[in-house]
Amino acid sequence: MFCGYVENTGVSDFQFDAQRKTFHTQGYAEDPTAYAETVGTVYVGEKEKAAENDGRTVFEENKEKLKKRKREHMGDPSDPEGYKGPWAEYTDQVKSSGPTEEQRATLDEWAARKEPKANAKPDENEKTILHIEDTHDYQGRSFLVAPKDHEVNLYNTEPPEKCFLPKKLLHTWDAHNKGVAKVILFPKTGHLMLSCGMDSKIKLWEVYGKRRCIRTYAGHAKAVRDIVFSNDGSKFLSASYDRMIKLWDTETGACLSRFTTKKIPYCVQFHPDDDKQHCFVSGMADKKIVGWDINTGEITQEYDRHLGAVNTITFIERNISFVSTSDDKKSQSLGLGYPC
């Protein structure tokens, strides 16, 4: 059996939906039990929020108008130089803006990580191993000096009268634990051979005589892709997949300088001129060719003309330009633009 009191109340559908939606979104609604004289002043739910919003429903707009920004005077239309027209700036417009101190510190830190570095901190893994004891002959000459007691005259600059195709295997140099990436001969005399491998090591060999391994250069964290001698052979550059280019002393095995752009170098090449041996170029995996100055350790020029990784660099035209090959299936001739 039900008992109670029922009172007839007339509420339109729109008012009912407005109060229902306002209660679900804002958390308050008009009290339906309020008397006629208190309608719009008594609320149920979040009464503080209702007072803050003046009891507005979700269908009512905020009657508070935003302050209209004022513009500067448009000027005299007869003055072409001083007339601003409807494009005049706002009076409170900020004409210049910049990052905050915290944002500036973050940007500086990011720029420092991206900046190419030379002469970076020495790697603790940089070391060299000398495999022979007789590094000097009876006259005090190091192994970099070509010997004269071989059947072949290593100091002769003239080509031989007769040349023959190789028919017999003379010797096999076997010391790398993984694949060999490149082999180059000592400049002019060719009595020494330098090899780099996927085992991240570089080795110097004898071409004549006992054909021994003279020295091992270890300092790269990943495979070595390219190596190149300077004109006199006293130094050489190595490019590795660890994103480092290193300058080595051939005789002592010391690492003299380190260069990096945070990208993988695919090839390196000294400038062929004797008076410009402090300059070299490197082809990078990020499609760029970078020119370096060994003395200052800074980048002197960047070439960004390829659409793929640069694989080789060859100097031409009396060393005033070079030809580069790339994974973009193109070969380009570029003029030297860095000050050497």
Side-chain angles (χ1 to χ4, degrees), residues 68-294:
K68 188 176 181 181
R69 299 177 67 186
K70 294 183 179 180
R71 290 183 179 272
E72 296 179 355
H73 192 270
M74 64 178 60
D76 186 4
S78 62
D79 183 11
E81 299 294 334
Y83 180 66
K84 299 179 181 179
W87 305 278
E89 298 178 349
Y90 291 103
T91 55
D92 58 345
Q93 182 175 346
V94 179
K95 298 183 180 179
S96 62
S97 61
T100 62
E101 294 183 0
E102 183 179 355
Q103 293 173 340
R104 173 59 62 184
T106 304
L107 291 174
D108 293 342
E109 182 181 354
W110 179 84
R113 292 198 304 265
K114 293 295 183 180
E115 183 180 359
K117 296 181 180 179
N119 295 324
K121 294 181 180 180
D123 190 352
E124 59 181 6
N125 296 324
E126 289 177 356
K127 59 182 180 179
T128 180
I129 302 174
L130 184 63
H131 301 283
I132 61 175
E133 297 181 357
D134 51 337
T135 58
H136 294 77
D137 60 8
Y138 68 97
Q139 292 183 346
R141 296 174 298 186
S142 70
F143 52 81
L144 296 184
V145 180
K148 299 182 179 180
D149 56 350
H150 294 306
E151 297 180 358
V152 180
N153 183 8
L154 300 176
Y155 291 93
N156 185 15
T157 58
E158 298 295 330
E161 296 181 358
K162 296 182 180 180
C163 296
F164 303 93
L165 294 174
K167 298 181 179 179
K168 181 180 179 181
L169 176 63
L170 299 179
H171 185 74
T172 299
W173 290 270
D174 186 10
H176 286 283
N177 297 329
K178 296 182 180 180
V180 179
K182 189 174 183 179
V183 173
I184 57 174
L185 294 176
F186 196 83
K188 297 180 182 179
T189 58
H191 67 289
L192 299 176
M193 181 177 66
L194 194 67
S195 65
C196 63
M198 307 304 287
D199 57 358
S200 72
K201 295 180 180 179
I202 305 168
K203 294 181 179 291
L204 186 67
W205 309 83
E206 291 178 335
V207 177
Y208 301 97
K210 298 180 181 180
R211 297 184 173 92
R212 301 170 295 177
C213 179
I214 299 176
R215 185 179 288 277
T216 299
Y217 310 84
H220 286 289
K222 294 184 180 180
V224 182
R225 180 183 174 94
D226 195 18
I227 48 177
V228 61
F229 271 119
S230 60
N231 284 359
D232 58 0
S234 62
K235 302 178 182 64
F236 68 88
L237 288 167
S238 61
S240 170
Y241 285 100
D242 62 1
R243 306 174 190 268
M244 295 293 296
I245 300 174
K246 296 191 176 184
L247 177 67
W248 302 83
D249 187 295
T250 308
E251 183 176 356
T252 64
C255 184
L256 304 178
S257 298
R258 304 154 193 85
F259 311 88
T260 179
T261 61
K262 304 297 184 181
K263 302 296 180 181
I264 299 176
Y266 273 21
C267 60
V268 287
Q269 190 69 39
F270 272 106
H271 195 289
D273 292 346
D274 292 333
D275 59 342
K276 299 176 182 177
Q277 287 291 283
H278 62 284
C279 297
F280 73 91
V281 291
S282 60
M284 313 302 294
D286 61 348
K287 315 170 190 177
K288 293 182 180 180
I289 300 174
V290 182
W292 293 88
D293 189 325
I294 296 176

Side-chain angles (χ1 to χ4, degrees), residues 51-65:
E52 180 181 352
N53 296 337
D54 295 333
R56 290 190 297 271
T57 63
V58 293
F59 296 105
E60 294 177 334
E61 297 181 355
N62 189 354
K63 297 180 180 180
E64 295 183 1
K65 295 183 178 180

